[in-house]
Amino acid sequence: MSPLEQVLAAAKSITDAGKQPSLALIKTKLGNSVPMPILIQGLQQFKSMSQDAIEQLQALTADVSLSPKSEELSELDTLKLELKRLKEDYQQLNSRLTALESGYRSEK
């Protein structure tokens, strides 16, 4: 889901809760993951949409509450992959060091 779609979905869920969407409410719902210009553009676009178009956003609403969490998971997955690569590099370097040390010892 693009940042603009996230803003539209957040505005829809705020409207569904009986509130008037505002930059503050949308920013609170999405966190700091969306830049302010995108928030403004999304809110303006939402306010200019027809009621039919707003109702079509309903499918996106469920994803908004999970958005920051999915980014956190993505960051966690990235860190796990990086840790795995570091472990592999460590094992590879350790093997090379062992081979070099055994070659050095055999030369003496």
Side-chain angles (χ1 to χ4, degrees):
M1 178 181 297
S2 75
L4 186 59
E5 289 173 331
Q6 289 178 355
V7 173
L8 293 172
K12 166 73 170 136
S13 67
I14 291 167
T15 301
D16 289 346
K19 299 177 184 173
Q20 181 71 20
S22 66
L23 286 175
L25 289 174
I26 293 171
K27 189 164 180 69
T28 300
K29 191 150 194 76
L30 295 177
N32 292 325
S33 62
V34 180
M36 187 58 76
I38 302 292
L39 289 172
I40 294 168
Q41 179 187 359
L43 181 58
Q44 288 173 342
Q45 184 175 338
F46 182 81
K47 287 182 176 181
S48 69
M49 293 172 79
S50 68
Q51 190 61 35
D52 290 336
I54 291 173
E55 288 172 8
Q56 290 176 355
L57 291 174
Q58 193 166 8
L60 302 175
T61 305
D63 296 335
V64 171
S65 60
L66 301 176
S67 179
K69 291 179 183 175
S70 66
E71 287 178 13
E72 290 172 14
L73 290 177
S74 175
E75 185 177 350
L76 181 60
D77 290 339
T78 302
L79 290 172
K80 284 180 180 178
L81 286 173
E82 187 175 342
L83 179 61
K84 182 180 176 184
R85 276 187 245 128
L86 287 171
K87 284 180 178 179
E88 290 170 357
D89 289 346
Y90 173 78
Q91 289 172 346
Q92 192 176 43
L93 286 172
N94 200 21
S95 297
R96 291 174 67 187
L97 179 62
T98 303
L100 286 171
E101 286 176 341
S102 66
Y104 178 74
R105 288 184 191 133
S106 65
E107 289 178 8
K108 283 188 171 183

